[in-house]
Amino acid sequence: MSSTAQELARLAETIRPETKAFIDGRFVDSASGKSFNTINPATGKVVASVAETDREDVDRAVAAARSAFNKGSWRNLAPRDRKVALLRLADLVEKHQEEFAVLECLDTGKPVLDALNADVPDAIATLRWHAEAIDKIYDAVSPTSADIVSMVVREPIGVVGAVIPWNFPLAITAMKIGPVLAGGNSIVIKPAEQTPLTALRLAALAAEAGIPDGVINVLPGYGETSGQALGRHRDVDCLSFTGSTEVGGYFLKYAAESNLKRVLLELGGKSPVIVMDDIDDLGPVVEQIALGILFSQGENCSAGSRLLVHAGMKDRLLEAVIENFKTWKVGDPFAEDTKMGAMIEQKHMERVLGYIEAGKREGALVALGGNRILEQTGGYFIEPTVFDGVANSMTIAQEEIFGPVLSTITFNDVEEAVAIANDTKYGLAAQLYTNNLHIAHKVSRAIRAGTVSVNCFSEGDQAVPFGGYKQSGFGGREKSMLAHDQYLQFKTIWMQLR
């Protein structure tokens, strides 16, 4: 039976997170001896003081990862044995799921029950899915003449650097680890400085699961120091980054200026939510709209932040959306009835509030919210916010806010809806609500986005690829079998027979 929020709150009072870097199978201090504080966004108080890694630590971790790769203690294991180890890791995460939920809540400020019932199960399922795929990926023999054997084989790419965002730290760390380790690679993980705790705990369990020393390394630290050093390192073969489009550009630059390492980018979004005028029951639609922009405080790259609604039903839909948003209680992440927690940090809260002010200046109307709340807690809370009268050219319709802010834009026909939906530099996700099968098929094809959800807010499951068009992604896809190929090299072996 699932734990209650109250039980998890008691666990939070006694938990003692790991705070050292994890290099070559051991927890170690940073080379400089420096540390930094990770802050609880819901209280503004220090959770722990964590080792602050830098270039020297990156060198140590990459060397450990390279040594482990060269020794072959992981990559040369039979696929079934790598599968067993990854499944054992998933089992250990499940065994400690309450601990992971608490650490995730303390680090991110999200409701602890969301962490327990969504984030942690997703991480477990991710590890298991990729583990089960390990011994089901086949090499190929190409058609040739009788005197030739032509094989196309997959080989691990080597040392992978993974830079993790702060919004879903455990789930996205698992999303990287799963296919990276499935292919026989080693990995150096740089979690976001705001949220390092679950990655460190995961590393400890990986060692317990039997994954060899050096195969997984975790370096808490800042992006401009340890993140950049990892991106520029000449012995890193591949860099996988999830985060903002701006920072993704830096990693392309670092690769170009170092060793031309493969760069995989899963970046930002400004996802449209298109509601056609043929919808007869608004209730389920409104529930999905709210989930799409308010879940995880709107700090989600695929959040449905632009509500594109047919002019003929805008007033009716907007009224229903506002009434629904009012039911989303914002507050203590350890309260049973909290549906929305805190922004990740004060700097980000101020950034979101800045976008709200920009919307007002440019002529959009605040239909709901727009304010910081619960300031007395010391936390960084913003209430659900809805703008009406938004033009798609406005800042709030073009730039990724990464908060609980919905911009309402009207359209008059399908063609205009598609044009507005595509009028953005992003192309990560979209939602479409319609009862018309023809519109569903045509509009889904016309929208330039990596995932189009029809009559729901969803990113699919582990079996389907996730990633974006345009400035929402570059170089590969998360999830599905495609995630495996991006961490592998393809080799042709052409053999002349005598």
Side-chain angles (χ1 to χ4, degrees), residues 80-293:
R80 64 179 178 273
D81 294 328
R82 291 203 304 274
K83 179 175 75 171
V84 167
L86 273 182
L87 288 173
R88 192 179 300 125
L89 174 58
D91 290 344
L92 287 170
V93 175
E94 185 172 46
K95 179 181 177 181
H96 296 278
Q97 60 186 313
E98 289 85 3
E99 179 186 355
F100 276 103
V102 168
L103 290 174
E104 202 79 329
C105 174
L106 292 173
D107 255 357
T108 66
K110 66 178 59 183
V112 70
L113 293 180
D114 283 357
L116 181 65
N117 297 320
D119 296 47
V120 178
D122 185 60
I124 296 166
T126 296
L127 292 171
R128 285 179 174 152
W129 196 93
H130 290 292
E132 290 291 354
I134 290 175
D135 57 1
K136 300 168 183 69
I137 299 176
Y138 287 79
D139 294 330
V141 177
S142 69
T144 62
S145 60
D147 62 338
I148 296 292
V149 175
S150 173
M151 298 182 291
V152 181
V153 300
R154 292 174 169 88
E155 296 182 348
I157 195 169
V159 175
V160 177
V163 180
I164 310 298
W166 45 255
N167 55 340
F168 297 99
L170 177 63
I172 294 177
T173 297
M175 201 178 292
K176 307 292 188 189
I177 284 178
V180 169
L181 267 62
N185 301 287
S186 299
I187 190 168
V188 179
I189 300 166
K190 209 296 286 182
E193 58 266 27
Q194 298 91 343
T195 55
L197 299 182
T198 50
L200 292 169
R201 184 68 180 114
L202 191 63
L205 294 185
E208 186 177 338
I211 295 173
D213 293 350
V215 172
I216 294 180
N217 306 270
V218 180
L219 302 178
Y222 293 98
E224 58 267 28
T225 52
S226 55
Q228 181 175 172
L230 192 60
R232 290 186 179 278
H233 205 289
R234 292 180 176 276
D235 206 22
V236 171
D237 301 295
C238 174
L239 193 290
S240 180
F241 170 73
T242 300
S244 73
T245 298
E246 178 187 8
V247 176
Y250 294 154
F251 282 107
L252 288 176
K253 177 183 176 182
Y254 300 156
E257 293 176 347
S258 56
N259 63 338
L260 295 179
K261 60 177 64 64
R262 184 182 297 178
V263 177
L264 310 171
L265 302 178
E266 198 280 285
L267 306 174
K270 196 67 184 173
S271 301
V273 182
I274 302 174
V275 183
M276 303 304 300
D277 62 350
D278 57 40
I279 295 293
D280 48 14
D281 183 4
L282 288 181
V285 176
V286 170
E287 290 287 341
Q288 292 297 298
I289 291 170
L291 184 67
I293 188 61

Side-chain angles (χ1 to χ4, degrees), residues 77 96 215 266 284 289 299 312 367 421 424 430 448 465 470 474 478:
L77 277 180
H96 296 278
V215 172
E266 198 280 285
I289 291 170
E299 296 169 330
T424 170
R448 290 184 54 77
K470 300 186 280 189
F474 182 94
E478 304 281 15

